[in-house]
Amino acid sequence: MESDAGFKAAVEEAKKGAAEGGIPIGACLVGADGKILGRGHNMRIQKGSATIHAEIAALENAGRLPASAYKGATMYTTLSPCDMCTGACILYKVNRVVLGENKTFVGGEDYLKQRGVEVVNVQSSECEALMKKFIHDHPEDWYEDIGE
Amino acid sequence: MESDAGFKAAVEEAKKGAAEGGIPIGACLVGADGKILGRGHNMRIQKGSATIHAEIAALENAGRLPASAYKGATMYTTLSPCDMCTGACILYKVNRVVLGENKTFVGGEDYLKQRGVEVVNVQSSECEALMKKFIHDHPEDWYEDIGE
């Protein structure tokens, strides 16, 4: 499950973000049938954006969809989702959130579970290394991204 | 408080959205000093967007800001904020959410309070009328916007 196309796409997106000089977090929304609905990465640096986190980018790139499209869907993300992205997953009733790691940041995992969303932590050392490097090199950009 | 520039701007944004044929929800983020940081309205119809709700638009239009800019800030919105927008206000530690009404939709008000955000309901009949008309005329667009 955790090594499937959705998680691979999320990691690819995180690496794209890193290559662009951005915050290296990627996400990919996969429907119940296993097909990718949308994918994207954090665009704070690239677009001067306060809201285009990876999960928001994936949802936005999936476009307008009826509620039925999110039924049984999984949000793959390379990092524990922040409160905004947690809320976005709850809004659209995504079934499951698979996250790369939560060693560099712990987001709304407990609240997701409380609202009935399954949470899986892949504990990816690759995702962790991407974040650790970015936080080391650009701490001010990272803390801005999480409102701290 | 509730009749100040921030709430007026949110209502103006909702009306702009209505004039564009969009979902009539507006928002305005005001800093602790009373100055408008950003304003915007729901863009689901206009941009085919799944994530540009009014509060997200206001945060996005405010641009990249340090955490200090949100300190003591108020998010004015014409409707009770959905789970995503609730999470966005929590992420940036907005001090207060002033909402126009919650008769047509009840969002994350309880969770905002639980996370220490003050919530004020203006009970605006104007905001309610805008939403009632839209929901009556375009129920499918409205339910899509709240993932139902």
Side-chain angles (χ1 to χ4, degrees), chain A:
Chain A
M1 270 300 192
E2 285 75 74
S3 60
D4 72 5
F7 187 65
K8 278 185 190 161
V11 175
E12 281 171 16
E13 289 290 336
K15 288 179 182 171
K16 265 192 222 175
E20 293 164 4
I23 301 176
I25 307 171
C28 180
L29 179 67
V30 174
D33 62 359
K35 287 192 188 141
I36 289 176
L37 294 169
R39 50 190 283 178
H41 53 273
N42 186 299
M43 298 296 276
R44 175 171 294 270
I45 312 289
Q46 298 92 318
K47 289 199 175 173
S49 173
T51 68
I52 312 177
H53 280 191
E55 300 89 332
I56 298 293
L59 286 163
E60 183 68 8
N61 294 336
R64 285 183 61 177
L65 295 171
S68 58
Y70 303 99
K71 207 168 180 176
T74 296
M75 177 66 82
Y76 294 88
T77 173
T78 57
L79 181 66
S80 182
C82 81
D83 286 309
M84 173 174 67
C85 297
T86 290
C89 290
I90 291 170
L91 167 65
Y92 287 119
K93 302 180 186 70
V94 163
N95 194 63
R96 196 167 66 123
V97 171
V98 175
L99 57 98
E101 59 107 359
N102 68 0
K103 285 197 181 163
T104 62
F105 175 77
V106 180
E109 295 169 42
D110 287 347
Y111 189 54
L112 282 168
K113 290 175 196 165
Q114 200 180 309
R115 295 289 300 268
V117 181
E118 190 187 338
V119 177
V120 177
N121 182 351
V122 174
Q123 301 186 297
S124 158
S125 53
E126 189 178 19
C127 294
E128 191 185 331
L130 279 166
M131 282 306 294
K132 279 194 170 157
K133 177 168 168 38
F134 186 86
I135 295 169
H136 177 270
D137 293 348
H138 307 281
E140 67 297 344
D141 289 328
W142 170 240
Y143 290 112
E144 187 190 282
D145 200 53
I146 51 170
E148 281 179 10

Side-chain angles (χ1 to χ4, degrees), chain B residues 24-107:
Chain B
I25 307 172
C28 181
L29 179 68
V30 174
D33 61 0
K35 287 192 188 140
I36 290 176
L37 294 170
R39 51 189 284 180
H41 53 273
N42 185 300
M43 298 297 276
R44 176 172 292 272
I45 312 289
Q46 298 92 318
K47 289 199 175 173
S49 172
T51 67
I52 312 176
H53 280 192
E55 299 89 332
I56 299 292
L59 286 163
E60 183 68 9
N61 293 337
R64 285 184 60 176
L65 296 171
S68 57
Y70 303 100
K71 207 169 181 177
T74 297
M75 177 67 81
Y76 293 88
T77 172
T78 58
L79 181 66
S80 181
C82 81
D83 285 308
M84 172 176 67
C85 296
T86 291
C89 291
I90 291 169
L91 167 65
Y92 287 118
K93 302 180 186 69
V94 164
N95 194 62
R96 195 167 67 122
V97 170
V98 175
L99 57 98
E101 59 106 0
N102 68 1
K103 286 197 179 163
T104 62
F105 175 76
V106 180

